Amino acid sequence: MNEHESFHHPGPSRTETDSPLLALDNLKTHFRTERGLVRAVDGVTLTLNRGEALGVVGESGSGKTVLSRSLMGLLPGSAVTSGSVKFAGQEILDLPMKQRRHLWGAEMSMVFQNPLNSLNPLMKIGKQIAEPLRLHLSMDKANARETAVALLKSVRIPEPERRLNQYPHELSGGMRQRVMIAMALACGPTVLFADEPTTALDVTVQAQILEVIGEQRRDRNMSVVLVTHDLGVVAGHTDQIAVMYSGKLVERAPTKTLFAEMRMPYTKSLLKSIPKLADPSHTRLATITGRPPDLVNPPKGCNFAQRCPYARPKCHVEEPALEPTADPNHVFACWYPVGSPEFTEREAELEAAGYVPATVAGVS
């Protein structure tokens, strides 16, 4: 596709079940630095169907945000990408920026992590929402304003007409995030990327934001990629989950399957770190000991081995490949997965020694 060609969505003769809406094949995103290449995303293969919700989960630095920005084409000049990203059957990874911009808003949109930093502090809310409507849909000023009011209503913002004349700093954190969602939905995108959309919001507002995204997904038959560090966030809001660690995909499964039959010790550690309502007051949060590996010089073998209490010598010298379980939709990368005889044996040894995996010392 040359610079003068536009991106064309498949016509009505193509059914939505023919192929995935989004297909990643061995996607790599590396960054040039003085120390060498940082392997932020290192060979991820995934698919996303129309109307499906995918949760991308991992610690800070796992590559989940870089993954979503790679799909959107929102990377700095130091980025080096390779592999394949197909949207609606067409390769988009190497599209010139001019063609990439045709996808933004109309086909792909993103809700960023911090709405206060993402919204223009000097521009009223109404103008910020109307801008993509006028740019991509060629609406006049009156129609754009009317649509902006309807969008604010759809994300449950009270008094939407009055909000159009306010600046971002005049709104609460939850309201600003709803404005970001309204802006992202303005041009009716096919897929919405939500990068930590509930960060810094209280629990009640978090639930409301996730519910709004879910409602819009169902009403629009829109696909959603929900990026978060919290398995609890994606539990009731996604169809499948992809777990990332140090730039790699380490487990992927339908959401219910992952919680019922997780195989990767790292996934188990993430789950154990979620606060539980049944815990006594002032119970210290569980953590994963150690630090993520250096992405410029990653260790041999499994990248998680140095932090994994179940690791054996083989884990430090041989990298496990993604392998399917009895369910071909459930894959994981681990030599001694949760439930294996070796894992069970090691777990018994740890318990006998008084060690509780994935927790701070002394925490029950």
Side-chain angles (χ1 to χ4, degrees):
M1 180 177 291
N2 63 49
E3 188 173 345
H4 301 289
E5 292 175 323
S6 60
F7 182 89
H8 297 286
H9 197 281
S13 61
R14 182 190 185 103
T15 63
E16 293 175 352
T17 57
D18 284 343
S19 63
L21 175 67
L22 199 59
L24 287 61
D25 185 16
N26 196 32
L27 175 64
K28 296 182 180 180
T29 300
H30 298 170
F31 294 99
R32 293 182 292 262
T33 69
E34 293 180 355
R35 293 183 57 233
L37 285 179
V38 176
R39 298 167 173 81
V41 174
D42 202 18
V44 172
T45 297
L46 276 175
T47 59
L48 178 69
N49 296 320
R50 180 64 185 257
E52 189 175 48
L54 166 69
V56 181
V57 183
E59 294 173 286
S60 296
S62 64
K64 57 189 187 298
T65 293
V66 175
L67 177 68
S68 62
R69 288 177 176 265
S70 299
L71 302 182
M72 286 283 291
L74 301 174
L75 295 171
S78 61
V80 180
T81 59
S82 64
S84 173
V85 176
K86 290 185 177 180
F87 177 75
Q90 296 194 24
E91 182 63 50
I92 65 171
L93 187 61
D94 297 325
L95 275 182
M97 187 53 65
K98 184 177 180 180
Q99 271 64 55
R100 205 65 178 258
R101 289 195 183 99
H102 287 295
L103 294 177
W104 296 345
E107 296 289 355
M108 296 180 174
S109 286
M110 179 173 282
V111 178
F112 294 97
Q113 182 172 352
N114 190 337
L116 190 57
N117 291 341
S118 302
L119 293 169
N120 188 331
L122 304 178
M123 189 184 293
K124 291 181 178 179
I125 295 300
K127 188 173 182 180
Q128 297 193 55
I129 299 176
E131 188 173 50
L133 295 170
R134 303 190 70 179
L135 177 64
H136 292 288
L137 303 182
S138 301
M139 288 188 181
D140 59 31
K141 188 174 181 180
N143 284 336
R145 184 177 179 83
E146 183 179 345
T147 303
V149 170
L151 284 166
L152 292 182
K153 285 182 179 178
S154 72
V155 295
R156 303 186 198 172
I157 289 186
E159 302 180 274
E161 293 87 354
R162 184 167 72 89
R163 304 300 180 189
L164 293 182
N165 295 315
Q166 292 184 312
Y167 290 93
H169 72 270
E170 298 180 271
L171 304 179
S172 67
M175 285 236 187
R176 287 193 292 265
Q177 195 61 283
R178 291 168 195 260
V179 169
M180 286 294 300
I181 295 172
M183 291 175 62
L185 297 174
C187 298
T190 311
V191 56
L192 176 72
F193 297 92
D195 185 8
E196 298 276 10
T198 59
T199 298
L201 301 177
D202 64 54
V203 176
T204 302
V205 178
Q206 284 184 22
Q208 293 171 353
I209 294 299
L210 292 171
E211 189 175 343
V212 165
I213 292 175
E215 284 179 354
Q216 295 299 320
R217 172 197 161 204
R218 291 187 293 271
D219 292 347
R220 298 166 180 261
N221 192 29
M222 177 179 66
S223 301
V224 171
V225 178
L226 182 58
V227 177
T228 179
H229 64 277
D230 189 349
L231 272 172
V233 167
V234 296
H237 301 278
T238 58
D239 300 302
Q240 62 169 320
I241 296 175
V243 181
M244 291 189 67
Y245 183 75
S246 66
K248 297 179 182 290
L249 189 67
V250 295
E251 187 162 15
R252 188 192 74 241
T255 300
K256 291 182 179 179
T257 302
L258 187 86
F259 281 93
E261 303 172 16
M262 61 181 59
R263 304 303 303 278
M264 181 68 187
Y266 175 64
T267 309
K268 183 180 177 72
S269 297
L270 287 177
L271 183 63
K272 289 176 72 70
S273 69
I274 299 174
K276 299 175 180 60
L277 291 175
D279 288 341
S281 179
H282 303 299
T283 297
R284 294 175 67 188
L285 295 178
T287 64
I288 303 174
T289 57
R291 299 178 62 182
D294 182 355
L295 296 183
V296 175
N297 297 299
K300 292 182 179 180
C302 173
N303 282 352
F304 187 57
Q306 295 179 345
R307 307 173 69 192
C308 180
Y310 307 100
R312 294 173 179 246
K314 182 178 182 179
C315 303
H316 295 277
V317 294
E318 294 184 44
E319 182 180 1
L322 283 170
E323 298 287 348
T325 62
D327 179 356
N329 294 315
H330 184 186
V331 297
F332 65 94
C334 184
W335 292 119
Y336 308 107
V338 176
S340 67
E342 295 86 354
F343 179 93
T344 303
E345 177 185 354
R346 179 59 176 158
E347 191 168 44
E349 292 174 357
L350 292 170
E351 290 180 356
Y355 176 79
V356 182
T359 62
V360 179
V363 178
S364 61

